[in-house]
Amino acid sequence: MSNTTLRGKVWAAVTQAFKLPMALIRRMITTLINRVWMSTLPSPKMSAQTMVDCNRRKMVVGLGNPGMNGSRHSVGMAVLTTLAERLGAPDSWRSDRQVSGEVIVTQLQDIQLVVLRPKLLMNINGVSVAKAASKYLISPEHILLIHDELDKPLGKFGIKHGGSARGHNGVRSCVDWLHTDVMPRLRIGIGRPSGKMPVDRYVLGRFSQEEQNVLDSVMKQSVDVLLTFITDSQPQTSPAEGRRASRKNKSRTLSPPQDTTEEQKQS
């Protein structure tokens, strides 16, 4: 094969790649990163006593992009700030390289609560979540994700009991990494952009002062709901009931949509 022909084929491949939608390219890159990281997760063996202890352990995760405090996409991390204050541990954050994030480990009634703030980009937040779940031996149904929600207007928030990621890349990463979608979520409404503003630009933008005033009250009320959910709720579905995918083939099984969303609105 001549050099000219080879260069032509390479150039054709490159130009074809640039024709792919950016969303698909990002998805391909994320999948590649996931495969690289996947082999690093240990599979700890648990004794009967450890299993009992694990049922008293839960984790709350604020999804977002590190270093982008105040942005709509990182509102899940903002909720953690209010949560840490309510738990009396605002200065207890510690960096943990083993989980690629910052954590607070505290006691809430008879529950050992792990609060996780990933230090990875939103699209691979699931890496941090899976590492923390493995280290602290927390099952997916005891992991609550907090994230922004485009389909709820600012001032509204609600609990969703598992189900699909609904287009949220941070949630999708967690579903991919934990091989299940049973994780409950606290969805904080940010609304959709007005006019022709692209969604990606909107979610990465910061709240206006007026929006921040609304959000401050939402933070307090959502943490009230969150703490009640953590201390009162029972697992919605056991992984044994079919929602966990086989680790052998790295696939996942999605649960059917549920309409049990508990919703609050800021008055």
Side-chain angles (χ1 to χ4, degrees):
M1 182 183 297
S2 67
N3 289 338
T4 302
T5 303
L6 179 60
R7 284 197 299 270
K9 289 188 174 182
V10 170
W11 179 249
V14 171
T15 54
Q16 184 63 33
F18 276 103
K19 293 180 181 178
L20 293 173
M22 286 305 299
L24 177 58
I25 294 174
R26 286 195 296 267
R27 183 67 176 154
M28 291 169 62
I29 293 173
T30 301
T31 300
L32 179 60
I33 293 173
N34 281 347
R35 289 178 178 176
V36 172
W37 281 93
M38 199 75 76
S39 60
T40 66
L41 281 182
S43 298
K45 296 181 180 179
M46 295 184 285
S47 65
Q49 181 58 46
T50 302
M51 289 291 289
V52 172
D53 293 340
C54 288
N55 288 330
R56 302 193 189 102
R57 192 176 299 153
K58 297 185 179 183
M59 180 161 65
V60 177
V61 184
L63 301 182
N65 287 306
M68 296 193 68
N69 299 333
S71 70
R72 296 181 179 89
H73 216 23
S74 295
V75 72
M77 291 184 170
V79 175
L80 292 191
T81 300
T82 303
L83 175 62
E85 292 172 354
R86 186 73 62 84
L87 294 171
D91 301 318
S92 298
W93 292 103
R94 61 180 179 82
S95 182
D96 187 340
R97 294 179 63 184
Q98 290 183 329
V99 304
S100 303
E102 296 176 313
V103 298
I104 292 175
V105 180
T106 188
Q107 201 70 21
L108 179 64
Q109 297 182 12
D110 62 341
I111 298 169
Q112 184 183 54
L113 184 65
V114 178
V115 184
L116 172 66
R117 188 161 58 191
K119 296 178 74 173
L120 301 174
L121 294 176
M122 174 71 90
N123 287 11
I124 52 174
N125 270 188
V127 174
S128 181
V129 175
K131 285 184 172 185
S134 179
K135 176 175 179 176
Y136 295 102
L137 305 179
I138 302 175
S139 56
E141 62 267 29
H142 290 157
I143 299 173
L144 188 141
L145 310 176
I146 310 175
H147 65 88
D148 57 301
E149 178 56 60
L150 283 165
D151 291 329
K152 286 184 182 295
L154 183 68
K156 297 185 72 175
F157 59 92
I159 295 287
K160 182 174 186 287
H161 300 287
S164 72
R166 295 170 62 94
H168 193 286
N169 290 331
V171 176
R172 181 186 292 118
S173 176
C174 294
V175 170
D176 287 345
W177 270 87
L178 295 171
H179 309 289
T180 181
D181 65 355
V182 299
M183 298 78 70
R185 302 102 198 241
L186 173 59
R187 302 185 297 164
I188 307 296
I190 61 171
R192 286 193 171 272
S194 58
K196 297 182 179 180
M197 178 183 290
V199 170
D200 54 353
R201 179 182 173 189
Y202 174 74
V203 299
L204 294 177
R206 299 175 66 87
F207 290 104
S208 67
Q209 185 56 56
E210 183 180 356
E211 290 173 328
Q212 189 63 53
N213 293 337
V214 175
L215 190 65
D216 289 342
S217 187
V218 168
M219 296 291 101
K220 297 174 183 177
Q221 293 188 36
S222 62
V223 167
D224 287 338
V225 171
L226 175 63
L227 291 174
T228 299
F229 183 83
I230 292 171
T231 54
D232 291 353
S233 67
Q234 296 296 321
Q236 294 296 310
T237 302
S238 167
E241 293 179 52
R243 290 189 181 182
R244 185 190 298 276
S246 168
R247 286 181 177 271
K248 183 175 180 181
N249 60 18
K250 299 293 189 298
S251 62
R252 69 178 186 272
T253 301
L254 297 182
S255 62
Q258 298 189 25
D259 298 322
T260 55
T261 301
E262 173 184 332
E263 191 170 279
Q264 302 285 334
K265 182 173 182 179
Q266 165 63 22
S267 59

